[in-house]
Structures are given as structure tokens and as C-alpha cells.
Amino acid sequence: MNTTKELHISAEPRINDRIRVPEVRLVGPNGEQVGIVRVEDALRLAAEADLDLVEVAPQAKPPVAKLMDYGKFKYEAAMKARESRKNQVNTVIKEIKLRPKIDPHDYGTKKGHVVRFLSAGDKVKVTIMFRGREQSRPELGFRLLQRLADDVKELGFVESAPKQDGRNMVMVLGPTKKKAEARAEGRRRREQAQAAQTASAEA
């Protein structure tokens, strides 16, 4: 049985004296296969190398144990987890509310917000609110949502088509750009603007 060099280690593995099995399949500090050895010998090798004996695959027969600096391993794993959390960007859903008979100026303002949200890589939930008799004219809301989707098609796509929800009609627009891309682009633009400012100040 071949054990891969990259071994997945459970949350809190057994280490050193807590490994209570007669023998282990031992992996050296650089991933080299040592073979099946008695646990006493593996512990002796660990002590001689000033390393820990860490059980990395307890389900295997016999269990797989690796020689490593466990404190350093835990620190590096924590740093990796922190880094991947930092790079994980959450998509936010922004909400915009419109009335079916919105005036052109208001429509322009609301469309501007939608453009800004989509450009930043966020989803936008667009809600049309019907009042009174407007509820008998759902096609007004439908047409308005289609018009908005058409106006912002360069930046977003209809992720969830318009549907009636009680007194409201809701549509969800998804950004064509991922949030991380949008952030990177924003950063590039800011850097270019700063560079241009510095150049003009020096001129």
C-alpha cells in the first residue's frame, strides 16, 4: 500500500505516547516511506530526530504515522486556513426597490445603483412594489424589470427571472464579473489613477 506524501491530518491527531498500537507504517519527515515498524522504534526515531510521531491515518491497517515537528505543522496549517479565509470573498445580495410607474429621473438613479453593485461583483435583488390597483397590472412590473436587465446586460445577467411574490415582483441579477476580479480591477484603477496623479504632480 502506497501512502501519499500529502497526508490529511484529522483535527487533533494522536501524537507520541498517545499512539497506542503495536506497530505503525512509518513515513519520514520528507515523506519517504520507512515501512512497518514497532511503535517503540518509531518513538525512538522521533526522539533522536527531535521530532514528534504523529498518527496521520488512524483507519489504515496498520495506522500511518509520520515524523514531523507537530508544533510547526499546526502553526503552518493555521496560517494556511487564515489565508484561504482571507481569499474567500463572499457574494453579497444588494436590494433595490422600484415602483411600476417610476419617473425617468428615479429610474436613472436606481439603475446607477444597480450598475455600481454589479460592477463591484455583488448580486442585486430587484423588487417591484405594487400598490392598490397596480396589482392587477403585473405586466407593468415585468416590462420594467426586463428593461432594467437589458440596460445593465454588459455587467449582469438574469439569475432568477421575474416572479410574483404577493404584492411584489422579484428578479435577481448576477454579476458577470466575480467579486475577486472586480476588487482586483478596482485596485488596478486606483493604482493607475495614483500613478497618473504622481506623474502630473512631477511634470
Side-chain angles (χ1 to χ4, degrees):
M1 170 183 133
N2 277 343
T3 310
T4 52
K5 285 188 186 180
E6 279 299 314
L7 291 155
H8 174 70
I9 298 185
S10 62
E12 278 302 326
R14 288 184 294 197
I15 69 168
N16 301 328
D17 301 340
R18 287 168 53 208
I19 302 172
R20 304 191 187 284
V21 289
E23 55 186 22
V24 292
R25 183 179 293 277
L26 188 62
V27 179
N30 300 313
E32 66 279 13
Q33 303 291 330
V34 178
I36 294 172
V37 299
R38 290 186 322 145
V39 77
E40 297 82 17
D41 296 336
L43 284 165
R44 186 173 43 75
L45 286 168
E48 284 170 6
D50 198 19
L51 292 169
D52 298 299
L53 182 67
V54 182
E55 192 178 50
V56 292
Q59 283 82 23
K61 303 247 179 292
V64 180
K66 185 175 180 183
L67 296 172
M68 66 166 81
D69 179 338
Y70 186 58
K72 185 178 167 199
F73 166 80
K74 274 189 82 166
Y75 172 76
E76 284 171 357
M79 291 303 282
K80 259 189 216 157
R82 215 167 93 194
E83 199 56 38
S84 73
R85 273 201 304 276
K86 209 163 71 181
N87 292 336
Q88 212 174 38
V89 188
N90 297 328
T91 302
V92 179
I93 294 195
K94 304 284 190 179
E95 189 169 7
I96 287 283
K97 294 185 173 172
L98 308 173
R99 297 294 315 283
K101 293 174 179 168
I102 190 167
D103 73 57
H105 175 74
D106 274 355
Y107 175 79
T109 306
K110 302 274 187 175
K111 187 180 82 176
H113 293 321
V114 174
V115 165
R116 196 171 77 244
F117 296 147
L118 290 171
S119 300
D122 293 321
K123 290 185 185 188
V124 186
K125 177 183 174 187
V126 188
T127 304
I128 302 270
M129 300 179 297
F130 296 101
R131 284 193 197 144
R133 286 189 199 161
E134 291 172 350
Q135 287 179 66
S136 63
R137 304 281 311 278
E139 71 280 1
L140 289 178
F142 188 74
R143 277 208 297 270
L144 184 58
L145 289 175
Q146 278 191 315
R147 176 184 162 197
L148 179 63
D150 207 45
D151 286 349
V152 298
K153 64 175 185 258
E154 301 294 314
L155 299 164
F157 61 95
V158 177
E159 191 173 281
S160 168
K163 60 175 177 281
Q164 194 86 26
D165 178 14
R167 288 185 175 194
N168 301 332
M169 187 177 275
V170 177
M171 171 179 78
V172 177
L173 294 169
T176 46
K177 242 185 241 146
K178 295 248 180 346
K179 185 126 186 168
E181 284 172 34
R183 277 195 179 169
E185 198 170 294
R187 212 169 29 242
R188 270 202 306 277
R189 282 212 198 100
R190 281 197 300 277
E191 283 164 4
Q192 282 167 355
Q194 276 172 346
Q197 255 180 344
T198 310
S200 65
E202 287 171 355

